[in-house]
């Protein structure tokens, strides 16, 4: 595919056909994805390739915990899990909300799930002393995760960056034997998409790009 087409048409695939995603294709995808940038070119990414049905099911189920709060807040008109506005739903409302199947089942049902991890010993987290949630560390791993989806799209496959399971990171570490300095960045179901979307919904440039300073004229 042409670069701009891949960029504009790499959608979040959550339903897959029964087609296999062979190791050779996976290697080819990772072979290209590894050219992603990372701070100091330290390449702290590590990938666990999960094909075992019970492990995929466990990763899907682990996503259910955060999915309950996500769904409860979304239903209440909130931006779920944001660190600025305290949640306006209480523990009982979260508990009463079932985890949406579209957030858990893709992980259990995909032919393969990649658990994209990062070795935090290799990440320069420049914002670690600021009084807000860390954001910079992600920049050393998510370009790699996104490259996986771009390369998969180019090869006729697809998937989704999912992060709900990371709310239960200690349980993933114990499930997969990850050492404590290795963080989980994404649990990524991958496979042949059941439907191919070509038109994604995104805001126009003029809505988010401004000249010279916050609130300046739109680009
Ligand atoms: C950092 C990040 C976390 C995400 N977490 C989840 C997730 O946990 N579960 C899920 O189904 N999708 C997840 N997504 C996918 C988004 O919902 C998706 O990118 C967005 O809805 C746009 O979808 P589209 O590209 O198909 O238009 C995540 C995406 C990103 C970039």
């Amino acid at each position: 595919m042409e670069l701009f087409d891949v960029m504009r048409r790499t959608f979040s695939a959550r339903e897959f056909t029964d087609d296999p995603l062979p190791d050779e294709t996976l290697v080819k995808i990772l072979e290209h994805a590894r050219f992603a940038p990372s701070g100091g070119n330290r390449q702290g990414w590590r990938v666990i390739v999960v094909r075992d049905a019970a492990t995929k099911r466990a990763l899907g189920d682990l996503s259910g915990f955060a999915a309950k709060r996500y769904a409860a807040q979304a239903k209440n008109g909130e931006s779920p899990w944001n660190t600025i506005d305290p949640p306006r739903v209480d523990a009982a409302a979260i508990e009463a909300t079932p985890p949406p199947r579209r957030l858990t089942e893709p992980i259990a049902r995909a032919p393969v799930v990649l658990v994209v991890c990062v070795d935090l010993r290799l990440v320069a987290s420049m914002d670690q002393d600021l009084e807000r949630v860390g954001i910079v560390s992600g920049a050393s791993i998510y370009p790699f995760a996104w490259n996986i989806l771009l390369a998969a799209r180019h090869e006729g496959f697809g998937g989704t960056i999912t992060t709900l399971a990371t709310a239960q990171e200690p349980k993933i570490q114990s499930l997969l034997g990850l050492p404590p300095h290795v963080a989980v960045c994404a649990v990524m179901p991958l496979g042949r998409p059941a439907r191919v979307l070509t038109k994604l919904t995104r805001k126009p440039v003029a809505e988010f790009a401004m000249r010279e300073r916050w609130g300046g004229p739109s680009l």
Side-chain angles (χ1 to χ4, degrees), residues 1 7 17 20 27 30 40 47 58 64 83 85 90 93 97 109 111-112 122 135-136 150-151 155 160 185 216:
M1 287 173 75
M7 289 171 71
T17 68
V27 169
L30 295 174
V47 178
T83 57
D85 311 306
D90 60 18
T97 306
R109 289 163 181 252
V112 61
L122 301 176
I135 186 79
V136 170
L150 294 178
E155 291 297 299
T160 299
C185 136

Side-chain angles (χ1 to χ4, degrees), residues 21 26 49-51 56 107 109-114 188-191:
L21 201 176
L26 210 44
V49 179
V50 178
R51 294 189 186 275
K56 288 188 286 185
I107 298 165
R109 289 163 181 252
V112 61
V113 174
L114 302 186
M188 191 183 282
L190 277 183

Side-chain angles (χ1 to χ4, degrees), residues 1-10 153 198:
M1 287 173 75
E2 200 264 328
L3 175 64
F4 282 168
D5 284 338
V6 184
M7 289 171 71
R8 295 177 77 104
R9 294 178 184 177
T10 300
R153 180 76 174 89
T198 53

Side-chain angles (χ1 to χ4, degrees), residues 10-14 70 102-103 106 142 160-165 197 200-202:
T10 300
F11 62 98
S12 297
R14 295 187 179 86
Y70 192 100
R102 73 184 282 276
L103 296 180
Y142 287 107
T160 299
I161 290 175
T162 84
T163 49
L164 289 162
L197 307 185
L200 309 188
T201 307
R202 299 292 189 268

